[in-house]
């Protein structure tokens, strides 16, 4: 049935089709803010029927108390100046229904002339469902971002404590809860750590003190319940829950969840808010996944620590073996006619040991070319101020590093004994670059100058043969020794592993 328009506004009959067919709530106001018309959708949205609202001030019906004064001032200002900031545009505000429930609406207001006065026509739409959908999408986006951040941290960090702090921060950001705390499992007890997230500027000091006084074994307090259940636990009213011993601190809700490594609990994270909040099942699913991700940090850290231990043990055993070889060499060369043969042999073993030291620092994965050159110079007693190394920061695989370390030792030893470093004025310049072809290739030039005049040797010694033949074969490249008058020049080209 069509709603009758107020008898004193016959000109509003032209709005009758709009009132009856509009999909939004339509409200018409007199210039003083009283209701002149109210369509069926408005009845459904606000709970008032038309006869109940006609002639009544709109401020008493649907405007929240905190906005009523502004509403009245706005109408008075428009009647005085014909200016209004909210006309002819869409805004999102809140309204209340007959039961006093406040909810979000989208509002647009326009004006029409009646007998020289302006009347207001408002179109209102309940956007509660839209806001809920937007909030759900925002939460899902935050959850995805949270999982990404913690997963990225789990893949990058070497610190379990850093991972715990990041997890506390991320979950507090997601939930809006101000407090988070981490406990680590030691034997059969969860021990409080110094890893806290506190947005209350010290207001949680009493909670910290109370936490330190409790032994959280299985079933004791929120952490103990998580340990016992091996699943997330939610407490909606902390002060009333008999299993929550930290009472009297003004806390409302709390929840905790386990961090697991290889199926075993290694830590528990707990969170607190001052409001009473009902359990959130979706959040519990998210934190369960987060617990698995953070647990992987410790799994990887333990694996890396074991690898480092094994690598250092291997390095120790290799050095022991080299010491044995040196002892055997000492016995073998004690009657050797060639002077300095044992010393040269020891130097070469020391070069191998030096390469091992550089590699072990990187878990036998790679070695710095700069570091290899520095170690070679120190090993043969070269003055570091007379050796210049210039080239890009380059890391070499283990095979290339060991081969080049031996070559640098031979070149440096020769320079100290006979070449540019044998007097007070010579120097060595080492330059290298990487070129792309069928694959990346290293080009390194060792250039001596300022030393005694150089002449090509009548015969090639072991060092020269090792550099020119063995090194070239080992590196998959070429090595050229040039005995120029101004000083020795060595060109090394080697293939590098691709990325």
């Amino acid at each position: 049935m069509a709603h009758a328009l107020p008898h004193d506004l016959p000109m509003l009959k032209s709005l009758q089709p709009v009132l009856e067919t509009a999909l939004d709530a339509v409200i018409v106001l007199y210039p003083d803010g009283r209701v002149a018309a109210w369509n069926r959708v408005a009845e459904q949205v606000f709970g008032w029927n038309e006869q109940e609202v006609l002639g009544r001030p709109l401020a008493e019906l649907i405007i929240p108390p905190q906005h009523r004064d502004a509403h009245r001032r706005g109408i008075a200002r428009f009647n005085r100046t014909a200016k209004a900031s909210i006309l002819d545009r869409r805004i999102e505000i809140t309204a209340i229904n007959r039961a006093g429930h406040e909810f979000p609406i989208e509002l647009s207001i326009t004006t029409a002339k009646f007998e020289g006065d302006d009347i207001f026509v408002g179109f209102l739409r309940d956007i509660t469902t839209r806001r809920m959908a937007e909030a759900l999408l925002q939460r899902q986006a935050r959850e995805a971002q949270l999982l990404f951040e913690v997963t990225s941290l789990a893949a990058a960090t070497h610190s379990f404590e850093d991972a715990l702090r990041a997890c506390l921060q991320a979950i507090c950001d997601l939930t809006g809860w101000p407090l988070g705390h981490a406990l680590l499992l030691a034997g059969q007890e969860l021990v409080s750590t110094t890893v806290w997230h506190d947005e209350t500027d010290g207001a949680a000091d009493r909670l910290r003190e109370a936490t330190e006084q409790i032994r959280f074994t299985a079933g004791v307090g929120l952490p103990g319940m998580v340990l016992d259940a091996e699943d997330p636990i939610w407490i909606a009213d902390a002060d009333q829950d008999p299993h929550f011993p930290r009472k009297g601190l003004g806390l409302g809700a709390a929840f905790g969840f386990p961090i697991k490594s290889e199926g075993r609990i290694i830590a528990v994270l707990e969170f607190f808010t001052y409001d009473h909040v009902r359990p959130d099942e979706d959040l519990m699913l998210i934190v369960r996944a987060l617990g698995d991700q953070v647990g992987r940090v410790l799994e990887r850290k333990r694996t890396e620590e074991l690898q480092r231990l094994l690598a250092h043990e291997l390095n120790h055993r290799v050095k022991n073996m080299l010491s044995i070889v040196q002892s055997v060499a000492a016995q073998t060369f004690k009657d050797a006619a060639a002077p300095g043969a044992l010393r040269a042999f020891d130097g070469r073993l020391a070069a191998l040991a030096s390469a091992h030291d550089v590699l072990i620092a990187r878990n036998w994965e790679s070695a710095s070319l700069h570091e290899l050159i520095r170690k070679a110079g120190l090993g043969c007693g070269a003055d570091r101020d007379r050796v210049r190394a210039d080239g890009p920061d380059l890391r070499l695989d283990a095979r290339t590093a060991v081969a080049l370390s031996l070559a640098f030792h031979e070149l440096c030893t020769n320079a100290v004994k006979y070449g540019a470093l044998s007097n007070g004025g010579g120097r060595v310049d080492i330059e290298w670059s990487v070129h792309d072809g069928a694959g990346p290739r290293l080009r390194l030039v060792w250039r001596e100058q300022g030393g005694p005049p150089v002449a090509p040797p009548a015969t090639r010694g072991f060092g020269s043969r090792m550099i020119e033949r063995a090194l070239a074969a080992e590196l998959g490249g070429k090595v050229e020794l040039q005995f120029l008058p101004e000083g020795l020049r060595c060109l090394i080209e080697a293939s590098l592993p691709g990325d």
Side-chain angles (χ1 to χ4, degrees):
M1 182 181 73
H3 287 216
L5 289 169
H7 62 84
D8 57 342
L9 285 179
M11 293 296 292
L12 289 179
K13 288 183 179 180
S14 61
L15 290 176
Q16 186 76 20
V18 175
L19 294 171
E20 295 304 324
T21 60
L23 298 178
D24 294 334
V26 181
I27 300 173
V28 181
L29 300 182
Y30 292 116
D32 60 3
R34 290 179 298 116
V35 176
W38 183 276
N39 75 344
R40 189 179 302 278
V41 179
E43 291 182 348
Q44 297 168 353
V45 171
F46 298 104
W48 301 91
N49 65 51
E50 185 182 46
Q51 297 306 316
E52 293 175 309
V53 300
L54 291 179
R56 293 181 59 182
L58 185 69
E60 298 177 1
L61 300 170
I62 70 169
I63 297 177
Q66 67 270 25
H67 300 314
R68 288 174 184 172
D69 286 344
H71 167 77
R72 295 186 183 102
R73 289 195 300 270
I75 288 179
R77 182 172 60 253
F78 180 81
N79 289 331
R80 187 173 62 254
T81 66
K83 295 180 180 180
S85 60
I86 66 171
L87 288 179
D88 300 318
R89 64 189 184 91
R90 293 182 182 274
I91 62 172
E92 293 185 4
I93 57 173
T94 60
I96 57 175
N97 59 18
R98 185 169 188 163
H101 171 66
E102 188 170 350
F103 58 96
I105 63 169
E106 183 181 79
L107 168 68
S108 61
I109 303 175
T110 189
T111 59
K113 286 290 185 182
F114 172 69
E115 296 183 353
D117 291 323
D118 289 293
I119 59 173
F120 302 99
V121 182
F123 298 84
L124 304 90
R125 178 177 300 174
D126 183 355
I127 59 173
T128 301
T129 301
R130 190 179 82 192
R131 284 283 183 87
M132 291 175 62
E134 291 172 350
L136 178 60
L137 288 174
Q138 290 174 357
R139 172 167 175 159
Q140 289 173 341
R142 289 198 304 271
E143 290 172 350
Q145 180 68 21
L146 172 63
L147 283 170
F148 172 77
E149 289 175 355
V150 176
T151 301
S152 298
L153 179 69
T157 186
H158 292 283
S159 169
F160 186 50
E161 183 174 299
D162 287 347
L164 292 176
R165 291 187 188 279
C167 196
L168 292 179
Q169 172 76 54
I171 293 178
C172 286
D173 288 346
L174 174 67
T175 61
W177 289 26
L179 301 171
H181 177 227
L183 303 95
L184 295 180
L185 185 63
Q188 302 298 314
E189 181 181 346
L190 284 163
V191 179
S192 176
T193 71
T194 59
V195 181
W196 283 82
H197 177 80
D198 183 1
E199 296 179 356
T200 59
D201 295 328
D205 288 346
R206 292 174 58 208
L207 175 62
R208 287 191 178 92
E209 294 173 2
T211 301
E212 295 295 333
Q213 304 304 315
I214 301 173
R215 294 187 63 231
F216 293 105
T217 54
V220 177
L222 174 59
M225 288 191 288
V226 173
L227 179 62
D228 191 42
E230 298 187 357
D231 268 322
I233 297 292
W234 188 291
I235 296 176
D237 189 342
D239 263 344
Q240 298 300 318
D241 194 290
H243 301 292
F244 191 83
R246 291 168 284 182
K247 291 182 171 60
L249 302 177
L251 298 174
F255 76 87
F257 67 92
I259 303 293
K260 295 182 179 181
S261 174
E262 298 177 348
R264 296 182 299 105
I265 293 178
I266 57 174
V268 167
L269 302 189
E270 57 179 358
F271 300 85
F272 310 90
T273 183
Y274 297 104
D275 301 318
H276 294 163
V277 182
R278 298 180 64 182
D280 186 333
E281 296 299 328
D282 291 336
L283 179 60
M284 292 296 94
L285 291 175
I286 289 294
V287 298
R288 183 179 285 111
L290 283 173
D292 293 339
Q293 293 294 338
V294 177
R296 290 176 186 171
V297 175
L298 186 61
E299 289 180 24
R300 193 187 69 251
K301 185 179 179 184
R302 285 175 173 169
T303 300
E304 290 173 349
E305 287 175 349
L306 178 60
Q307 289 175 341
R308 284 195 293 271
L309 177 63
L310 291 175
H312 282 288
E313 178 64 20
L314 175 61
N315 190 49
H316 176 68
R317 290 177 182 273
V318 167
K319 286 188 173 181
N320 285 344
M321 181 61 68
L322 291 175
S323 296
I324 294 172
V325 172
Q326 283 180 312
S327 297
V328 172
Q331 295 298 318
T332 303
F333 288 112
K334 66 180 180 179
D335 298 324
L342 178 59
R343 188 165 56 253
F345 184 78
D346 281 343
R348 287 159 186 154
L349 285 181
L352 285 175
S354 177
H356 271 252
D357 284 336
V358 176
L359 286 165
I360 205 68
R362 296 283 298 181
N363 292 329
W364 205 257
E365 293 174 355
S366 64
S368 165
L369 182 51
H370 276 285
E371 184 69 8
L372 288 178
I373 293 172
R374 187 184 71 83
K375 289 268 189 178
L378 292 176
C380 65
D383 185 347
R384 68 178 60 187
D385 293 332
R386 297 169 64 189
V387 177
R388 185 182 67 87
D390 183 29
D393 187 17
L394 185 62
R395 304 207 68 87
L396 307 171
D397 64 280
R399 180 176 178 180
T400 304
V402 170
L404 284 176
S405 184
L406 284 172
F408 294 147
H409 170 76
E410 294 296 332
L411 290 168
C412 194
T413 299
N414 183 75
V416 169
K417 292 173 65 176
Y418 313 111
L421 303 181
S422 65
N423 62 14
R427 71 173 190 271
V428 176
D429 292 319
I430 310 168
E431 298 178 349
W432 65 90
S433 56
V434 177
H435 303 273
D436 289 325
R441 290 184 64 81
L442 168 68
R443 188 178 190 276
L444 183 145
V445 178
W446 173 291
R447 183 182 293 106
E448 298 181 23
Q449 53 187 328
V454 174
T459 60
R460 297 294 178 96
F462 172 79
S464 296
R465 294 197 304 273
M466 185 193 73
I467 293 175
E468 288 184 306
R469 299 175 188 175
L471 182 60
E474 188 70 16
L475 296 179
K478 69 176 183 178
V479 179
E480 295 179 358
L481 289 174
Q482 297 177 328
F483 296 90
L484 304 175
E486 63 271 19
L488 175 69
R489 182 179 183 272
C490 178
L491 170 64
I492 299 174
E493 291 188 354
S495 297
L496 295 175
D499 293 333

